[in-house]
Amino acid sequence: MKLSNIGRNDPCPCGSGKKYKNCCLGKQKDSSSPKGAEQIFTDLRQVLHEHDFASLEEVQAFAGDFMRQKNQAALDDFQGLSPEQMRQMLDFSFSSPQFVSFPDPLNEVPSAPVLTLFSLLVKAMGKDGLKATAKGNLPRNFCQETALAFWGDEVYRERTQIGGFNKEEDFIDLNTTRLVAERAGLVRKFRAKFILSKTCRSLLDTHGMAGIYPRLLKTYVREFNWGYMDRFPEITFIQHAFLFTLFLLTKFGDDWRPNVFYEDKFLQAFPKVLDEVKPNPFDIPEKTIRSCYTWRTLVHFVGFFGLATVEPESKNPFEHKFQIRKLPLLQETVRFRF
């Protein structure tokens, strides 16, 4: 039996249980498939055409063995990961203990900007809570005092030359920390005040910030919209692929590397993400993707959570050039098994 003899409504020879027309027949048209996956299905169709089979069952068995071998083979585009590992990374980030684990609590109290801000929130709320504004935000005086404590005098003066902090949203890092803490069930509003939840107090009493950090991180990558902090297009896949970036940092982060290095690796693995951005008169899709990836993943994620040092190459905010090197907290936070 040749592959050409398989009808569109016959069971797919790959063994998925789907009809051929809804499975491998249409793979070459699937714009969301990574380049490596497209090549695998191209190879499968070719070898099936080159063989004679006595039955459809024999075709399915052959295709099943072929796909298992391909899915377990390392790909250069995936930096040595197999398609099977990449699928686990993307779709089962927190439920693949055979591949990756996230210690909870951590062995030591971590140091990270997000925890510095959360600690200041905890201190301000204390036992009595922190009064919210009429709009339900953190009070302006607290935001100003927190910014000064967080940045120090010199940086605070630089960042407030044009305008100060008139509302919580003007201090986006603090605003993000508060929103993530609420989503994580650590902070809540009660009678017009921000208060610590029972869960938060229990974690602090038992594990301190070593128990708080994993909860903030998981909430940030699973529930918080990374696009909230910028004006880029939605491009949700950048957030969905957060674990691949942590894998890249684990593998290459011992040395200082420019942000373009990680942008290149991301686009090499997922070239189809370019299809998520429509061309416009100002930027080509690749430039938009690169800038969005750097800000959302490197600056606002791995830098904010203390997983890597992200140093700007100049004080010009429009240059978007950084040097990145991983920090010890990365290995404490995520552990890959190969």
Side-chain angles (χ1 to χ4, degrees):
M1 175 183 288
K2 293 282 191 180
L3 182 61
S4 57
N5 293 331
I6 298 176
R8 289 170 53 83
N9 292 313
D10 288 336
C12 186
C14 76
S16 66
K18 299 179 181 179
K19 292 182 179 180
Y20 180 49
K21 67 179 181 181
N22 295 326
C23 195
C24 291
L25 179 63
K27 291 299 182 181
Q28 67 269 33
K29 299 178 182 179
D30 185 357
S31 63
S32 66
S33 296
K35 180 172 62 177
E38 289 181 354
Q39 186 60 51
I40 290 174
F41 287 110
T42 298
D43 293 345
L44 173 59
R45 286 190 293 273
Q46 180 176 345
V47 295
L48 286 175
H49 277 296
E50 293 173 353
H51 288 75
D52 286 317
F53 299 95
S55 65
L56 181 58
E57 289 73 18
E58 189 175 326
V59 176
Q60 291 176 321
F62 179 91
D65 289 339
F66 179 91
M67 292 300 293
R68 277 190 292 273
Q69 292 176 20
K70 287 289 187 179
N71 283 332
Q72 293 171 4
L75 297 181
D76 291 340
D77 285 350
F78 291 167
Q79 303 306 314
L81 294 175
S82 69
E84 186 175 300
Q85 289 173 318
M86 183 62 82
R87 178 174 175 271
Q88 293 292 320
M89 182 174 287
L90 294 176
D91 297 334
F92 305 98
S93 303
F94 292 102
S95 56
S96 300
Q98 75 283 2
F99 174 57
V100 62
S101 64
F102 297 82
D104 187 3
L106 301 184
N107 292 327
E108 298 180 359
V109 176
S111 175
V114 65
L115 268 193
T116 299
L117 291 171
F118 183 77
S119 297
L120 292 169
L121 264 176
V122 170
K123 182 178 179 181
M125 284 185 278
K127 294 182 179 180
D128 299 325
L130 180 63
K131 186 177 180 180
T133 66
K135 292 185 177 181
N137 293 331
L138 295 168
R140 181 177 63 178
N141 289 344
F142 169 73
C143 294
Q144 294 172 338
E145 294 168 0
T146 301
L148 184 59
F150 183 66
W151 285 325
D153 292 338
E154 183 178 351
V155 175
Y156 181 83
R157 284 196 300 270
E158 289 179 359
R159 298 204 178 192
T160 55
Q161 282 180 350
I162 299 177
F165 295 112
N166 297 312
K167 57 185 182 300
E168 179 186 333
E169 288 85 351
D170 292 336
F171 189 1
I172 192 65
D173 290 340
L174 178 61
N175 179 227
T176 297
T177 301
R178 193 265 294 179
L179 292 174
V180 173
E182 284 188 301
R183 284 183 174 272
L186 301 172
V187 171
R188 65 187 185 93
K189 292 191 186 81
F190 178 71
R191 294 182 179 177
K193 287 185 177 182
F194 291 100
I195 64 171
L196 299 177
S197 68
K198 291 182 180 179
T199 298
C200 182
R201 293 187 181 279
S202 176
L203 283 172
L204 288 172
D205 290 341
T206 307
H207 303 293
M209 289 298 171
I212 294 292
Y213 180 88
R215 196 178 186 101
L216 288 174
L217 184 139
K218 290 178 181 179
T219 301
Y220 187 82
V221 299
R222 292 193 294 193
E223 299 182 36
F224 184 73
N225 178 11
W226 288 9
Y228 174 77
M229 301 176 72
D230 58 53
R231 296 181 179 180
F232 291 107
E234 191 171 356
I235 320 177
T236 56
F237 186 78
I238 288 178
Q239 181 170 352
H240 186 61
F242 82 95
L243 192 54
F244 182 65
T245 295
L246 298 187
F247 168 75
L248 292 177
L249 280 169
T250 299
K251 185 172 182 177
F252 300 108
D254 286 330
D255 299 319
W256 287 102
R257 298 183 187 273
N259 54 298
V260 69
F261 173 87
Y262 292 100
E263 294 169 7
D264 288 343
K265 300 297 184 188
F266 177 78
L267 286 174
Q268 181 181 359
F270 311 114
K272 291 297 182 181
V273 74
L274 294 171
D275 295 341
E276 292 194 29
V277 179
K278 295 181 180 179
N280 63 70
F282 307 102
D283 285 319
I284 61 173
E286 182 175 340
K287 184 177 179 181
T288 299
I289 291 290
R290 286 179 176 277
S291 296
C292 183
Y293 175 81
T294 286
W295 282 103
R296 287 187 186 174
T297 305
L298 301 179
V299 177
H300 291 150
F301 175 44
V302 300
F304 191 48
F305 276 81
L307 302 171
T309 299
V310 182
E311 291 284 353
E313 292 189 358
S314 87
K315 292 187 177 182
N316 184 346
F318 300 103
E319 285 197 6
H320 299 178
K321 293 182 179 180
F322 300 88
Q323 290 290 327
I324 297 98
R325 187 172 66 180
K326 70 180 181 183
L327 289 168
L329 181 56
L330 176 64
Q331 185 175 352
E332 293 296 317
T333 300
V334 55
R335 296 175 184 174
F336 293 98
R337 297 183 174 89
F338 304 103

